[in-house]
Amino acid sequence: MTVSQTVELEGHIIDSGSMGHCFGAVMEMGGEFEVEEFEVGRHKHDETYCRMTVTADTPADLRAILHELNQQGATVADPRDATIEPAPDDQVVPVDFYSTTNHPTYVRVDGDWVEVEDIEMDCALVVERNEGDGESSGDDGSDGGDGGDGNEPRVHTKVLNAVEEGDLVVTGESGIRVEPPERPRNGGGSFGFMQGGVSSERPSKSLIEEIADEMRDVRENDGTVLAVCGPAIVHSGGRDALAELVHEGYVDAISAGNGFAVHDLERDLYGTSLGVDTESLEHPRKGHKHHIYTISEIVRHGGIPEAVDAGVVDEGVMYECVQNDVPYVLAGSIRDDGPLPDTITDAIEAQDAIRKQAQDADLVLMLSTLLHSVAVGNCLPSTTKTVCVDINPATVTQLLDRGSAQAIGLVTDIGAFLPMLTDELLESDSK
């Protein structure tokens, strides 16, 4: 005996490919579909509507198919309110909890669609109610937050390690609506030049001009540009350009690892990066020790701000961050030497700090760091504009594989990209 469910798709579902993906997913997962209604948008701004019945052999098979379709923006026809179950223990979610995408998401609560706050992939959805709603978010009787205006419930994401016993967790697929970003029909709009993912064929100058325009727009609107930085910035000679962008107010926050900060500081103290003179490319005597000497010097002063105040550090990216009150998060790893006193060595604490940066960002520049880019990308909503620059196209490919579909890539040397970007921004300022 088979089971079935009717779902709806609406929007530019042909242009974006979501309709074809849904058809293919049903068949690949062993189900069948029958299109009941199909209205094609005939003009540029018209949307397409598709209503279809999905059939599977078992309820479990149907749930799996519906989950896949939900990720592409399909919603159950005539939806009911979302199913909500209390978390049985701290860091434990109900068995059938809904795992989020990074796309804008809405949950149907008490007959109304409520937008999910702080959307992020691979999280649980938690509903919070006011006391006036007659329901509590926890066993202790607390109201679970301000609940917005009046008695309106809130829905927000929580990573699994932050879930508390009694949290009201959304389960199943009913009452959940996902809205994947759609490709503009005219290929234009913001970041319209970035419709093709990763390429080394594109003219870098025109791309840099577009990126510079976006950075200007963010600054003019009091937004936040987050730079995710890898040590290659220092090795390849892009460090001074990035420091200038921080100084001029085009970069509002830095996310990096211990290694980037150490190499930046080593360049200031010794003129080297990992013991190599970044100007002459020569290996000075005992240059291989400069890395650990730098860490020791910063530790001796108590941290990066203290070393800047003491005049020990007087140039570079970290120096400009301190001098211009630009916040930075240095997340530690098992590979770190030292680490610096400023590096967050607790992995959960570092994740939380990165998550806050990501949620506050309007534009993210991922600069030659695969692992850190993936970490930040996992925390970003799909609506956040993201530019990834790396000499290796696999960096952006991995971001796309992890679900950061909004990330585009410029395959080039970071040491060439950053000076060109800085020149483009500062030349326009001087006109």
Side-chain angles (χ1 to χ4, degrees), residues 366-369 387-391 408-410 412-414 417:
M366 297 180 171
L367 308 174
S368 289
T369 170
V387 180
C388 184
V389 183
D390 203 293
I391 199 67
I408 62 90
L410 179 57
T412 188
D413 176 26
I414 193 66
F417 169 81

Side-chain angles (χ1 to χ4, degrees), residues 79 104 108 122 180 260 359 377 387:
R108 198 170 188 269
D122 301 334
F260 168 78
Q359 292 290 346
V387 180

